[in-house]
Amino acid sequence: MGAILKATAPVVPTGEQVFFRSFFGIPVILAWLALKGELASGLRAANPLAHAYRGIVGTISMGCGFAGLGLLPFPEATALNYAMPLMTVIFAAMFLDERVGLFRLSMVALGFAGVLVILSQRLSVGVGEASPEETLGAMLTLSGAAFGALTQIFISRMVLTEKTSAVVFWFLVTASLLSLVTLPFGWVVPDAGTSGLLILAGLFGGLAQIMLTSSYRFADASLVAPFDYASMLMAIAVGWFVFNEPTSTRMLAGAAVIIAAGVAIILRERRLGIRRGQRAGTPR
């Protein structure tokens, strides 16, 4: 999906990309629910206002991320997006009053050090290798990650009363409608090939959402989450073979630091969860 969005970025505005990604993801979600026999119950919204807030924040995140993807090398945009779970830890402490221990804070700090390593090659316009477009792309990508982290905070509250399918479906509906606001700012009529690619982006996005949601049904989050970092290997391959984008040593070093910090947090939480479970099962 990301590769398609990057390939179409030179000819299709970001708002239009958001529309295609959202609108054509809806049929996939509906078909999935229909196959499960949950079409009616799966779309019921207990708190419509919460869906609206989540939709607004999520759409901003998507727009910033897509715009950054069009301006940055593919692997670099992917690596900067890994800042999202680090920001989620901070926002959870700020807005959900979650206790964040010294270990997690240290790993978050380490992760942000990796982000700075990557950014260092994009914050030197005029004196280094960065261009104004790439600097803007880096800022947009990080902004998308920040809004994405806020979205996770909304979702963590919503899932207490809302079904996951409803959260996904109403987000896609909201994003589709909000993207239409950008119509006056230069939407284009894409040719058949570009239209086909954009429709595929929506379908792939919907399938990815279903697969990710299903994966958490069949395995613990601590097992599933680290596999997200496999996207770095895929991004490097796509960047090299599809977009002819060489990967810098600095970017790889920064990405490695971010991934190491993220995996350390996941493994630590898994161990703590096992211990809590053991204590809960111990007779007193």
Side-chain angles (χ1 to χ4, degrees):
M1 184 195 75
I4 289 173
L5 293 170
K6 182 171 179 60
T8 57
V11 293
V12 179
T14 299
E16 191 171 354
Q17 288 184 317
V18 171
F19 173 80
F20 274 91
R21 159 63 184 94
S22 305
F23 185 78
F24 287 97
I26 293 174
V28 180
I29 302 299
L30 292 177
W32 177 54
L33 289 174
L35 288 172
K36 294 173 61 181
E38 300 177 2
L39 191 56
S41 61
L43 301 182
R44 190 175 296 118
N47 188 346
L49 193 59
H51 285 279
Y53 289 143
R54 180 265 190 269
I56 292 170
V57 176
T59 303
I60 294 172
S61 172
M62 187 185 292
C64 289
F66 288 3
L69 189 60
L71 297 171
L72 283 176
F74 194 62
E76 189 171 328
T78 301
L80 288 176
N81 266 312
Y82 291 153
M84 187 188 303
L86 303 176
M87 296 178 183
T88 302
V89 172
I90 296 173
F91 291 157
M94 293 171 59
F95 302 122
L96 300 179
D97 295 325
E98 288 190 8
R99 293 183 60 186
V100 179
L102 180 60
F103 179 83
R104 272 206 291 176
L105 284 177
S106 300
M107 290 302 99
V108 168
L110 178 63
F112 279 119
V115 171
L116 290 175
V117 170
I118 298 173
L119 285 180
S120 63
Q121 61 189 357
R122 299 301 175 207
L123 300 180
S124 55
V125 178
V127 295
E129 58 195 88
S131 67
E133 291 79 13
E134 289 171 332
T135 300
L136 175 61
M139 295 300 98
L140 285 169
T141 302
L142 279 180
S143 297
F147 280 106
L150 285 174
T151 299
Q152 296 303 314
I153 301 302
F154 276 110
I155 292 174
S156 67
R157 291 175 171 175
M158 291 174 66
V159 293
L160 299 176
T161 58
E162 309 286 341
K163 288 192 174 182
T164 303
S165 55
V167 174
V168 174
F169 174 78
W170 290 112
F171 166 64
L172 294 177
V173 171
T174 305
S176 298
L177 294 174
L178 289 176
S179 66
L180 297 177
V181 175
T182 66
L183 255 172
F185 300 99
W187 277 36
V188 300
V189 179
D191 58 39
T194 303
S195 297
L197 285 174
L198 290 170
I199 291 171
L200 278 178
L203 297 176
F204 287 158
L207 285 171
Q209 190 69 58
I210 290 172
M211 291 178 182
L212 182 62
T213 301
S214 299
S215 69
Y216 284 102
R217 184 184 305 273
F218 295 110
D220 293 337
S222 57
L223 176 65
V224 173
F227 282 93
D228 185 48
Y229 295 114
S231 60
M232 189 71 251
L233 300 176
M234 301 174 193
I236 291 172
V238 170
W240 180 270
F241 292 108
V242 178
F243 299 111
N244 195 28
E245 296 170 338
T247 304
S248 70
T249 303
R250 193 182 309 179
M251 195 286 298
L252 287 175
V257 172
I258 299 171
I259 291 172
V263 171
I265 291 174
I266 293 167
L267 295 178
R268 168 78 168 179
E269 290 305 302
R270 177 178 173 82
R271 284 196 295 270
L272 292 177
I274 292 173
R275 290 174 187 171
R276 285 192 292 266
Q278 290 173 340
R279 287 197 296 268
T282 302
R284 293 178 179 272

